[in-house]
Amino acid sequence: MSKLKSIWVFHLNTGACNGCDIEVLDIFTPYYDVERLGVKLVGSPRHAHALLVTGPLTRQCVYAAKRAYEAMPPSPRIVIAVGTCACSGGIFYDSYSIYRVSPRDTLEYPRRGGIEEILPVDIYIPGCPPRPEEILYGLALLKGIVEKRVKQEYQREEEESITLPENITIEERIKLDLRCSLRKIVGYFDRDAILEDFMKLVEKAKDTDNEEAVLHNLVEEYCRKVSDSRIRFCIRFLEKEYWRVRRRYEEMVPSKINIA
Ligand code: SF4
């Protein structure tokens, strides 16, 4: 994609609950002022470089989404999926009203059900809803200015004090913590499928001499086999999160940890 000096964006809601739309509008307010990056909201797809889609792809909207895409100038025709719903169907992934041509009966993932069903997506901005900062970051990536002006930084909430689980084992507790963290970056269906795969790798690394290195190699091997960058991102995220959570429990109850 040639570098664009400005991006004119047409916002299309294909069934969103309005949460994502509010965050999208927020980036155009004076506080975030995305127009300073040359991103402008336009009223017609005929004037747009990019289609910014929010919400799962509902059956009612398939025709309108196709028409909007076809109405755009032939190049560069960028599609930006904002929100977990637009990325994978989100919480509505199995709803009857969602348009899906990918197989319903198989457990394929990343789950489809978003705009990807009918249009090629260039940028995925997950989150339910994503924060304005995340949308800005996605747009800055698209414009190719992010390396120049923004350095990558992970932010996390303050570590809250936790009480030890009583009715469940610490192994299960770690899995629940991972599930909870993964919720922030991936859709509900994909989360469980990806976590299941990751826990199999943890199981394989169990009882080896250098568990951390073995798990890392297994993760890398897994990532080489999958072509989807979203899955690779999630698996690597899980690896980091796994050691963080596990060490926290190890400090609390060194004798009880025996998972791997
Ligand atoms: S991702 Fe969340 S906020 Fe956005 S449309 Fe879906 S349910 Fe609503």
Side-chain angles (χ1 to χ4, degrees):
M1 192 186 306
S2 64
K3 209 163 179 181
L4 293 165
K5 286 196 173 154
S6 63
I7 305 178
W8 287 19
V9 173
F10 180 71
H11 174 200
L12 182 73
N13 177 334
T14 54
C17 73
N18 224 13
C20 286
D21 305 290
I22 289 168
E23 303 302 328
V24 167
L25 290 181
D26 216 13
I27 64 170
F28 290 95
T29 59
Y31 187 82
Y32 289 103
D33 190 17
V34 75
E35 290 194 0
R36 76 197 137 99
L37 303 182
V39 179
K40 182 169 148 38
L41 204 56
V42 293
S44 162
R46 291 187 197 286
H47 303 150
H49 298 115
L51 198 60
L52 188 152
V53 184
T54 54
L57 182 63
T58 52
R59 290 170 193 273
Q60 290 279 351
C61 288
V62 174
Y63 181 68
K66 275 190 187 156
R67 288 299 303 271
Y69 186 72
E70 281 158 14
M72 289 165 73
S75 175
R77 274 196 178 167
I78 301 159
V79 178
I80 307 167
V82 174
T84 305
C85 287
C87 294
S88 67
I91 197 167
F92 307 106
Y93 71 86
D94 220 7
S95 161
Y96 73 95
S97 57
I98 301 303
Y99 180 81
R100 287 195 70 209
V101 285
S102 47
R104 265 195 181 275
D105 301 333
T106 61
L107 298 181
E108 103 279 19
Y109 70 91
R111 188 73 165 181
R112 296 175 74 186
I115 192 67
E116 189 193 44
E117 288 284 346
I118 54 165
L119 301 180
V121 176
D122 297 282
I123 297 272
Y124 295 93
I125 306 177
C128 181
R131 292 177 188 179
E133 289 85 352
E134 289 165 330
I135 305 175
L136 277 177
Y137 181 72
L139 291 169
L141 270 180
L142 183 64
K143 286 204 69 201
I145 57 176
V146 74
E147 275 91 6
K148 254 195 273 172
R149 297 191 191 166
V150 183
K151 84 171 169 10
Q152 187 163 2
E153 193 177 310
Y154 284 97
Q155 298 190 355
R156 70 168 66 251
E157 291 162 21
E158 293 280 306
E159 292 267 345
E160 73 284 14
S161 65
I162 52 169
T163 46
L164 279 176
E166 284 177 8
N167 303 329
I168 58 172
T169 63
I170 291 181
E171 292 84 338
E172 283 170 305
R173 178 76 216 191
I174 291 178
K175 195 170 169 190
L176 283 176
D177 281 0
L178 293 180
R179 194 165 181 263
C180 189
S181 304
L182 200 55
R183 171 181 66 88
K184 295 173 188 161
I185 58 168
V186 76
Y188 298 83
F189 175 86
D190 300 332
R191 173 185 66 181
D192 289 343
I194 292 171
L195 183 59
E196 212 49 55
D197 278 2
F198 178 74
M199 292 316 288
K200 281 184 196 151
L201 301 183
V202 170
E203 192 60 34
K204 269 194 197 170
K206 197 173 170 179
D207 297 333
T208 54
D209 289 342
N210 187 348
E211 192 192 333
E212 198 162 345
V214 173
L215 182 60
H216 183 69
N217 288 341
L218 288 170
V219 163
E220 288 306 313
E221 194 187 327
Y222 181 95
C223 289
R224 277 196 292 278
K225 283 188 201 148
V226 292
S227 55
D228 197 295
S229 58
R230 288 168 293 173
I231 298 180
R232 292 200 297 269
F233 180 84
C234 290
I235 289 279
R236 289 188 176 125
F237 168 84
L238 277 177
E239 186 193 355
K240 282 201 193 91
E241 197 63 8
Y242 173 74
W243 290 113
R244 185 185 72 81
V245 173
R246 184 169 156 186
R247 292 212 167 99
R248 199 164 59 154
Y249 282 113
E250 272 171 352
E251 279 165 21
M252 293 169 74
V253 274
S255 58
K256 285 198 188 175
I257 295 273
N258 183 31
I259 44 168

